[in-house]
Amino acid sequence: TEMSSNHSSRNSRCHRRAAFTLVELLVVIAIIGILVGLLLPAVQAAREAARRVSCMNNMTQLGLGLHHYEFSMEHLPPGVTNDDGPIRNEEAGQHIGWAVQILPYVEQTSLYKNFDIDAGAYAAANAEARGVVVPTLMCPSYPGESTRTDGQTRIGMSTYSGCHNDREAPIDGDNNGLLFLNSNIRYSEILDGSSQTILLGESIPDQNSLGWVSGTRATLRNTSGFEETKNWPQQNADLGSLQVGGFGSFHTGGAIFTFADGSTRFISTNIDPELFRKFGNRADGELLRELE
């Protein structure tokens, strides 16, 4: 009986040791919490890295489209077409942007055929085409909607813009970038060198953006500086304004740009502002140093 009692006692102690104590359970929970806390930023960083690669691919495709247009027409497309300038940020005028011109060169021939260029960007005949979302024109890191509604009109957005000038100035026929009012720049006119002149860059769409078809601030910017995301989505350029603004993105620390030679590069917001400005001018004749 005594041996049986001792055996039962040992079994009882063994059974009690098989369970977690409250302290042990709390320690395990704390360790799991720490591991999850370490894992989530890594997962988010990996996702952003994938979105950044996808964005660079979009920019490369648009750059190739512009190159194919230049090869066919022997000049780059106009940044915007209109009878006169400067271009205001409003639905008035023809305002056909560069993105419309290169549709056949970025696998969007059907959309191009359904767009009446002579009617203008805001014509009722182009309302359906204007509302189409072109995936190549949208950065995957953009947190907003790819379309907006203005009354009864659906407007497709763009997060990529052509470079019209090196300083803040209205979009006009005397700009010194590559895509501006009624421009038809040949590569022989890029005197600073195509590898040192910005063709396209990322931009932060306004909530009242006129969309990817419009050759206004919606798809044209300058190298006067970087726009910040801290005020988004409240930031908006006034309708009817001549303000254009700089480039910007939702990537951390900078934005992606396509140069006239077809190369795609990430430029930090910490770049020397004067160097960044020079990248926007096709023929200022000034010496440039390499990006660090």
Side-chain angles (χ1 to χ4, degrees), residues 14 28 42 47 80 95 110 116 134 140 168 199 237 249 258:
C14 290
V28 170
R47 288 177 176 173
V80 54
H95 287 192
S110 178
D116 186 347
V134 181
E168 176 57 39
L199 180 58
S249 82
T258 294

Side-chain angles (χ1 to χ4, degrees), residues 48-63 138-141 159-163 198-204 223 226 247-259 262-269 276 291:
E48 171 55 24
R51 289 192 292 264
R52 180 166 154 177
V53 169
S54 179
C55 181
M56 293 189 74
N57 181 63
N58 286 346
M59 293 285 287
T60 299
Q61 294 303 314
L62 292 173
M138 293 300 301
C139 172
S141 291
T159 61
Y160 304 120
S161 294
C163 183
I198 289 175
L199 180 58
L200 300 172
E202 292 189 83
S203 56
I204 302 172
T223 53
F226 282 90
F247 294 95
S249 82
F250 286 88
H251 302 301
T252 302
I256 298 170
F257 292 83
T258 294
F259 284 70
S263 63
T264 302
R265 317 177 206 173
F266 184 85
I267 296 182
S268 170
T269 53
F276 185 55
L291 285 172

